[in-house]
Amino acid sequence: MKKKDIFFTGLMLFALFFGAGNLIFPPYLGMEAGKAVWPAIIGFVVTGVSLPILCVAAIALAKDGIQSIGNYVHPLFSLCFSLIIYLAIGPFFGIPRGAGVTYEMGVKPFLSGNSGAFSLLLFTIIFFVIVYWLSLNPSKLVDRIGEILTPILLLSIAVLCIAGIIQLQNPLQEPAEKYASAPFFKGFMEGYLTMDAIAALAFGIVVVNALKDRGVHQQSAMIKATIQAGLIAGVGLALVYIATALVGAKMSVNGPFANGGDLLSSAAALLFGSGGKLLLGVIVALACLTTCIGLTTACAQYFHKITPNISYKTYVTIITMFSLVVSNLGLNQLISISAPALTMIYPLAIVLVVMSFFHRLYKGSTKTYGMALLFTSVFSVYDGLKAFGVDTQWLELLLSWSPFFSMGLGWVVPAIIGAIIGFVMDNIVLKQHRTA
């Protein structure tokens, strides 16, 4: 495979990952971290970049994508887990949110104050027609996104960030309380909470199919090319995260700001006047559009794979139409359900992916996988119920013994304990069979 093809596949993967959330989180982190921005953003990059790239590599190593990894536990678990991931980050949440954020940040600022439901409907129709058209031919994704849309996106971000870093000469503020004592670890947690690893499990199939369209079929070559593309995407993400965090840190004196979007809007207006709104609109529109195209393609490819009698084009049509309706009618309600659901499955996804890299070490023991995920699920259910707004004080008393519990990583040690117990159980059973 040509180096140019790998490079543009990496740019495509960068664009698929880089949605509005990735644009908004780092500058707000920079504003709150202030003088501690460097350790904070390095911590953010460690988890915010490495976890998604790790998941993409795991999909490349698996023969049948996410379902192969899930099958290490049980085929039924694999099917249910995959469906939940694709539906949650696709038509039930990720895609409608992308359209909604594009409208709010990229279009609404240019409309009159009385713009209402009709303008949103008109915009989402245009938006999803573009998503539909660009998703119809997944073999062209590298050409359209990697070679055309991503360079425009990167150039737009570079103009905003370079201007901000050079022209904004405000002194950095003292860090907010949560970044004052351990900024690296707080940034580490913020990167973890982006939940890009779940999207990576879906995007893996897009990358693998894009490489197949370019003649890569041998497993070893596929793994190598996927990891190379992942590293290119990771470098791009890291650079953008660092640059936008520095802009946020330099803008802190002009705050306070409600969120990262508000901060970037103010920075763009301060640096470029009325043209700043247009620049930010282009950045947000491209970031959300490319992510929505990637999610639509990934979901349609997955559903077509498990139900081959229904065409890929039919699934693209269903997904875009459903997302269009949701983005206009039920986004808030679905966010209130989908966000806690993602919180619940995120630790399970990380444990499953990390364990898949050590599959040979415990010889694919299903009990090792099963017990690790069982122990993890107890803490995942707690996190999900808490995100739903359920009173979890009684459950917190039972689980707070776990290290890192207060930091949202209480599942880590129990997952390791569960894996060890499962491995021992499997070996006892094997020894009993041998002696029988």
Side-chain angles (χ1 to χ4, degrees):
M1 189 173 180
K2 295 178 182 178
K3 290 182 179 179
K4 185 184 86 167
D5 289 332
I6 294 175
F7 177 73
F8 284 119
T9 302
L11 289 187
M12 176 197 73
L13 183 58
F14 164 85
L16 299 187
F17 276 129
F18 194 76
N22 307 75
L23 183 66
I24 291 169
F25 284 133
Y28 199 72
L29 175 150
M31 181 194 76
E32 292 194 309
K35 291 180 179 179
V37 63
W38 279 107
I41 194 60
I42 290 171
F44 184 94
V45 167
V46 168
T47 48
V49 174
S50 63
L51 282 177
I53 303 309
L54 197 67
C55 289
V56 171
I59 296 299
L61 286 166
K63 291 181 181 179
D64 196 26
I66 187 174
Q67 281 200 268
S68 289
I69 300 174
N71 284 338
Y72 295 151
V73 184
H74 191 276
L76 182 59
F77 168 85
S78 177
L79 179 62
C80 295
F81 188 70
S82 302
L83 284 172
I84 290 170
I85 285 179
Y86 278 103
L87 289 173
I89 67 168
F92 275 61
F93 176 54
I95 300 171
R97 185 186 71 166
V101 171
T102 306
Y103 175 76
E104 290 293 329
M105 289 186 65
V107 176
K108 199 173 180 179
F110 295 96
L111 303 177
S112 60
N114 59 356
S115 59
F118 178 74
S119 61
L120 174 61
L121 175 63
L122 183 61
F123 165 77
T124 50
I125 289 172
I126 297 170
F127 184 88
F128 282 110
V129 165
I130 297 171
V131 170
Y132 174 80
W133 176 62
L134 292 175
S135 301
L136 279 180
N137 193 344
S139 63
K140 295 289 185 182
L141 280 184
V142 174
D143 297 332
R144 291 169 175 169
I145 295 180
E147 297 185 19
I148 300 173
L149 295 181
T150 309
I152 298 172
L153 172 61
L154 284 171
L155 180 62
S156 303
I157 295 171
V159 169
L160 177 61
C161 291
I162 292 172
I165 292 169
I166 293 174
Q167 293 185 35
L168 296 174
Q169 297 299 323
N170 302 323
L172 301 185
Q173 303 296 295
E174 291 298 322
E177 184 180 350
K178 63 182 181 180
Y179 286 100
S181 57
F184 173 85
F185 197 80
K186 182 58 185 174
F188 181 95
M189 283 301 302
E190 292 291 321
Y192 159 75
L193 293 172
T194 61
M195 298 191 183
D196 275 346
I198 294 178
L201 292 174
F203 290 147
I205 191 174
V206 179
V207 176
V208 169
N209 287 337
L211 293 173
K212 285 180 180 177
D213 289 334
R214 276 162 167 69
V216 181
H217 297 286
Q218 193 175 5
Q219 184 73 2
S220 59
M222 178 69 70
I223 293 168
K224 181 181 177 181
T226 303
I227 292 173
Q228 288 174 332
L231 289 173
I232 291 167
V235 169
L237 288 170
L239 290 174
V240 172
Y241 290 160
I242 292 168
T244 51
L246 291 175
V247 171
K250 292 192 171 195
M251 281 291 294
S252 59
V253 71
N254 300 93
F257 300 100
N259 51 56
D262 186 24
L263 187 153
L264 285 178
S265 296
S266 298
L270 184 64
L271 293 167
F272 301 103
S274 58
K277 283 199 300 185
L278 178 60
L279 176 63
L280 187 62
V282 169
I283 293 172
V284 172
L286 288 173
C288 292
L289 179 65
T290 51
T291 300
C292 288
I293 293 166
L295 289 171
T296 302
T297 302
C299 291
Q301 287 180 339
Y302 171 74
F303 291 124
H304 173 60
K305 189 174 184 178
I306 61 174
T307 55
N309 55 316
I310 301 176
S311 70
Y312 169 81
K313 182 178 179 180
T314 300
Y315 275 122
V316 170
T317 305
I318 293 170
I319 291 166
T320 50
M321 289 295 292
F322 184 84
S323 300
L324 169 63
V325 172
V326 171
S327 61
N328 280 273
L329 298 178
L331 183 57
N332 290 336
Q333 290 84 350
L334 283 171
I335 284 176
S336 66
I337 297 171
S338 300
L342 288 173
T343 302
M344 199 176 294
I345 64 177
Y346 196 56
L348 296 171
I350 294 174
V351 170
L352 193 59
V353 166
V354 171
M355 290 186 70
S356 71
F357 285 99
F358 303 97
H359 185 69
R360 292 183 180 179
L361 184 64
Y362 33 81
K363 300 175 183 177
S365 162
T366 54
K367 284 187 174 62
T368 304
Y369 280 99
M371 293 301 291
L373 290 172
L374 179 63
F375 278 50
T376 304
S377 67
V378 175
F379 290 82
S380 292
V381 169
Y382 164 78
D383 290 335
L385 291 174
K386 190 176 180 180
F388 270 117
V390 177
D391 182 10
T392 55
Q393 191 172 3
W394 61 273
L395 193 55
E396 187 174 326
L397 293 173
L398 296 174
L399 303 179
S400 57
W401 61 267
S402 179
F404 316 119
F405 179 80
S406 62
M407 302 170 186
L409 293 171
W411 54 269
V412 173
V413 173
I416 296 170
I417 294 172
I420 293 171
I421 292 173
F423 183 73
V424 171
M425 287 171 59
D426 232 9
N427 276 271
I428 290 172
V429 172
L430 282 173
K431 284 181 181 179
Q432 288 175 344
H433 279 298
R434 286 170 185 168
T435 55

